[in-house]
Amino acid sequence: MLAPGDLRPLVEVCDLVVSYGAVRAVDGVTISVAPGEVLGIVGPNGAGKSSLLAAVGGQLRPTSGQIRLDGVDVTKLPPHRRARRGVVRTFQDTSEFGRLTVFENLLVAGLGMHGASLYAATVGARAQARRTATAAERAAELLARFELEPMRDTYAMELSGGQRRLVEVMRGLMREPKLMLLDEPTVGVAPHLSEQLRREYRRIAASGVAVLMIEHVLEVVEEVSDRVVVMDNGSVIAEGTYDQVMQSQAVREAYLG
Amino acid sequence: MSFSSLDFYLATVVVIFGVDVLSAWGLNLQYGYAGIPNFSFIVFQAAGAYTAAILTLGPMTATSGQTYVAGTHVPFPVALLAAVAAGAALSAVIGVFAMKRMRADYQAAILLILALILNQFIVTDTSLFNGTSGLANVSRPLGSLVNPSTTGWQWAYAALVWAICAVVLFAVQRLSRSSWGRALRAQRDHDAAAAALGCNVVALKMQVFVIGGAIAGLSGGLLVFYLQAFNTASWGYEETLAIFVSILIGGVANNWGVILGTFLVQIVFVEVPNLLPQFGYIGLVDALEWVVIGLLWMAAIALRPQGVIPERRVRAERFGLPALRRALPAATAAAAPGQQGAHEERLGATGGASRR
């Protein structure tokens, strides 16, 4: 079997700059993630981690630099076009669709369910019904796997923080993603659900998905990541395995000031 | 009130009710399902009304006594379709800049201001639709079938309006339950997440804005053929507020609830006061009407933001999943220890309270 590093990277970020006015939140970052690999990004508040993730997801337009997905330049693609190429993400504040049930939250995410086509919803209703049936099947599988079956008809806004996080991850999995972006994926999650989530993140990576994760809790980073990038002031100051970066002098300085 | 004038009044109420229900469905698609605070909704009804009027008034002559553009004679169904097209076309033009990604409160402000500007524009430029005097003498359609000066015609027209309502209800229900409708509701609740799942949020909003505009245009066309006249006072921005309150009271994102809300607001609170004995100075009753509508709005938001008949929960059974055994609270708690929210049957109607 191939080790993750042997594969061609799925996502390549080259010399990326994200500026807010005069402030360079991301200042020339170059990273890559291979299929099946979890890359953890750590760093103090304001290091530019969330901006980097948003630039990869398409929520932020970078000032310069390039983002390639599967070798294709996606730097200028809007988020929904990147999503259709296999990029999914979770948000720092959970992003459930509050007045949709858990099941509907999953259904919306199903492939071909993005509904941008009025034609599919009306004239092409039969083909759409087939896609809906496929998505419903997949949703049922995920509900079973994440043990959320009893909650399937519950409005997402009635869920706990941890369950909302689960729904976000399940929604991502509905799309059979290639790249999953996780923004602080265990924040505000009860301990037993956090454990379940960490297992799932490893399992998602093991299925061949590239995972890019921002996480403050170092214990989670150590457990889940194959490789760690440390950012400070918009730049990468260390890269390597968890143990390697934790021994770096630059990292100690950044954290201890 | 004599019998014939009561008959006349009742038929008028039934027609107006139908027109108001149509408008409310149009705005409910935009606001209830898609979250677009379209405070200029009434403008699109006006577009339909003016279009239908000038297309049937005939060319302007020296003796018309009113000024307007592009007067011509087309058959009633063509004029009605043109009203639909006018509402849709104006929505498409305005949507190009009003449906861009922006905060909902900015969007609401832009659309409200637009309603004020456009109304003022038509008031000022009298060459288009005769300013504040507006257009009159629009002839009643289908005169060859029923004598237009009888209440029989009024009831026949009422029947036509409600037949059209039935068709529109079928269409809006079908659309709102489709995957397209689900994507609309998803982006309403969290637009960035919907985009991150492949929804083209701007396109979705644009589509629903144009469809709602088409329904508004249709309602305007139907209205003008009944009233035979239309002027700038018919589409003040506050008319949109009355439709909003109908939706908020009846049921946000529930097309049946909207019928109830429209009845309560447009008929009970707007029409019935016209029957009450007038008191105080002239216009006091009208002014009080708006006070009541404002209070209703506040009461709805404070007490029951999801409306009397809330958005319907879409259960997974509808998609062929085996029925969920109604889990006892204890069993549910075991599946997700320490979590709340499992008792959905009890929480049921609390939906709709979030994020608004």
Side-chain angles (χ1 to χ4, degrees):
Chain A
M1 205 175 124
L2 287 166
D6 301 340
L7 291 169
R8 193 169 70 109
L10 179 89
V11 61
E12 297 161 277
V13 174
C14 304
D15 201 18
L16 193 79
V17 176
V18 178
S19 309
Y20 303 100
V23 180
R24 287 190 150 203
V26 178
D27 195 0
V29 167
T30 299
I31 54 168
S32 64
V33 194
E37 181 187 36
V38 179
L39 177 65
I41 304 177
V42 297
N45 285 326
K49 307 183 297 290
S50 287
S51 297
L52 171 63
L53 206 71
V56 176
Q59 285 76 31
L60 265 182
R61 182 63 65 88
T63 313
S64 66
Q66 202 186 45
I67 299 158
R68 282 195 299 272
L69 188 71
D70 255 343
V72 180
D73 183 1
V74 297
T75 319
K76 293 200 166 68
L77 289 188
H80 68 273
R81 302 263 310 271
R82 295 190 202 192
R84 292 175 195 183
R85 287 171 173 270
V87 179
V88 297
R89 70 164 295 173
T90 67
F91 290 79
Q92 198 167 349
D93 302 315
T94 52
S95 66
E96 72 287 347
F97 304 127
R99 278 175 295 161
L100 269 60
T101 66
V102 168
F103 186 76
E104 282 190 296
N105 264 271
L106 302 183
L107 220 47
V108 168
L111 291 172
M113 298 298 290
H114 39 69
S117 162
L118 255 182
Y119 178 86
T122 51
V123 186
R126 191 169 293 178
Q128 190 64 12
R130 270 198 302 277
R131 283 194 287 273
T132 306
T134 313
E137 251 170 59
R138 189 164 173 80
E141 284 166 21
L142 285 169
L143 284 166
R145 168 169 156 191
F146 284 78
E147 296 167 6
L148 270 186
E149 236 161 2
M151 321 286 282
R152 69 181 195 198
D153 291 334
T154 305
Y155 283 126
M157 67 181 174
E158 296 165 359
L159 300 176
S160 73
Q163 290 167 335
R164 289 173 198 210
R165 197 55 92 188
L166 285 178
V167 168
E168 263 193 319
V169 174
M170 290 159 78
R171 227 168 40 184
L173 291 178
M174 284 294 294
R175 302 195 60 78
E176 297 165 15
K178 290 180 185 165
L179 172 65
M180 188 176 262
L181 309 171
L182 302 171
D183 197 345
E184 306 210 11
T186 61
V187 162
V189 176
H192 71 281
L193 283 182
S194 172
E195 216 173 278
Q196 184 187 354
L197 276 167
R198 281 177 279 169
R199 270 200 313 276
E200 284 298 338
Y201 298 143
R202 283 306 323 168
R203 187 172 162 186
I204 290 163
S207 72
V209 177
V211 179
L212 185 56
M213 174 181 77
I214 296 175
E215 182 58 69
H216 273 297
V217 185
L218 292 179
E219 185 193 318
V220 176
V221 178
E222 183 177 13
E223 181 187 332
V224 178
S225 313
D226 296 300
R227 208 153 49 86
V228 177
V229 160
V230 187
M231 283 181 73
D232 188 31
N233 271 328
S235 309
V236 173
I237 56 167
E239 188 172 354
T241 65
Y242 179 81
D243 293 333
Q244 283 167 356
V245 299
M246 283 305 140
Q247 275 156 19
S248 138
Q249 189 60 34
V251 172
R252 288 175 186 204
E253 277 167 18
Y255 268 95
L256 301 173
Chain B
M1 189 179 273
S2 71
F3 175 75
S4 66
S5 71
L6 181 67
D7 201 26
F8 167 85
Y9 181 73
L10 277 181
T12 303
V13 167
V14 171
V15 170
I16 301 288
F17 183 29
V19 168
D20 287 341
V21 164
L22 279 177
S23 320
W25 284 333
L27 183 56
N28 196 33
L29 270 185
Q30 297 177 337
Y31 173 71
Y33 290 95
I36 302 167
N38 185 3
F39 280 102
S40 64
F41 186 82
I42 203 70
V43 168
F44 306 99
Q45 184 179 69
Y50 282 130
T51 303
I54 58 170
L55 287 184
T56 52
L57 273 172
M60 191 172 78
T61 62
T63 56
S64 314
Q66 47 188 358
T67 52
Y68 51 87
V69 291
T72 177
H73 275 299
V74 302
F76 166 65
V78 177
L80 204 54
L81 287 176
V84 175
L90 186 61
S91 296
V93 172
I94 290 173
V96 166
F97 60 89
M99 291 305 112
K100 284 184 179 162
R101 267 201 78 179
M102 66 177 101
R103 271 169 48 182
D105 41 2
Y106 289 137
Q107 199 172 35
I110 286 174
L111 289 164
L112 177 61
I113 292 164
L114 192 77
L116 297 170
I117 292 173
L118 287 176
N119 193 278
Q120 198 56 46
F121 177 61
I122 301 301
V123 165
T124 312
D125 188 346
T126 52
S127 69
L128 287 172
F129 305 117
N130 208 30
T132 46
S133 310
L135 304 175
N137 302 326
V138 177
S139 29
R140 291 187 153 174
L142 312 175
S144 55
L145 303 175
V146 191
N147 181 353
S149 54
T150 60
T151 48
W153 182 90
Q154 288 185 295
W155 284 110
Y157 195 75
L160 173 72
V161 168
W162 279 92
I164 290 173
C165 282
V167 174
V168 172
L169 176 63
F170 176 79
V172 293
Q173 286 289 80
R174 177 138 190 193
L175 281 175
S176 55
R177 288 174 180 178
S178 69
S179 57
W180 180 80
R182 201 177 307 116
L184 277 184
R185 286 158 56 227
Q187 65 80 31
R188 168 196 71 189
D189 289 357
H190 201 301
D191 62 344
L197 291 168
C199 295
N200 185 346
V201 171
V202 173
L204 281 167
K205 282 188 170 178
M206 190 71 186
Q207 288 162 353
V208 77
F209 196 64
V210 169
I211 292 172
I215 296 174
L218 174 65
S219 74
L222 288 170
L223 185 65
V224 79
F225 284 120
Y226 187 81
L227 300 178
Q228 300 179 271
F230 200 79
N231 62 34
T232 45
S234 320
W235 52 290
Y237 73 96
E238 66 277 6
E239 302 292 336
T240 307
L241 305 189
I243 306 173
F244 259 106
V245 178
S246 309
I247 294 172
L248 283 170
I249 288 187
V252 177
N254 184 317
N255 294 316
W256 293 99
V258 155
I259 303 178
L260 175 70
T262 302
F263 179 77
L264 289 175
V265 174
Q266 305 275 29
I267 305 303
V268 176
F269 287 105
V270 177
E271 282 301 322
V272 171
N274 296 338
L275 295 177
L276 298 176
Q278 295 286 318
F279 58 91
Y281 55 85
I282 292 166
L284 178 62
V285 172
D286 280 350
L288 285 177
E289 245 174 58
W290 290 108
V291 172
V292 170
I293 285 183
L295 290 173
L296 279 173
W297 190 326
M298 288 193 276
I301 288 172
L303 302 174
R304 205 171 161 81
Q306 72 278 24
V308 175
I309 310 178
E311 185 169 348
R312 275 185 57 183
R313 191 190 297 266
V314 180
R315 294 187 187 280
E317 279 151 64
R318 254 192 47 203
F319 299 92
L321 267 70
L324 202 59
R325 266 188 306 127
R326 289 278 163 254
L328 297 169
T332 322
Q339 305 304 329
Q340 55 181 4
H343 321 314
E344 45 124 351
E345 284 309 311
R346 258 178 276 159
L347 284 170
T350 58
S354 78
R355 283 190 192 274
R356 243 171 237 260

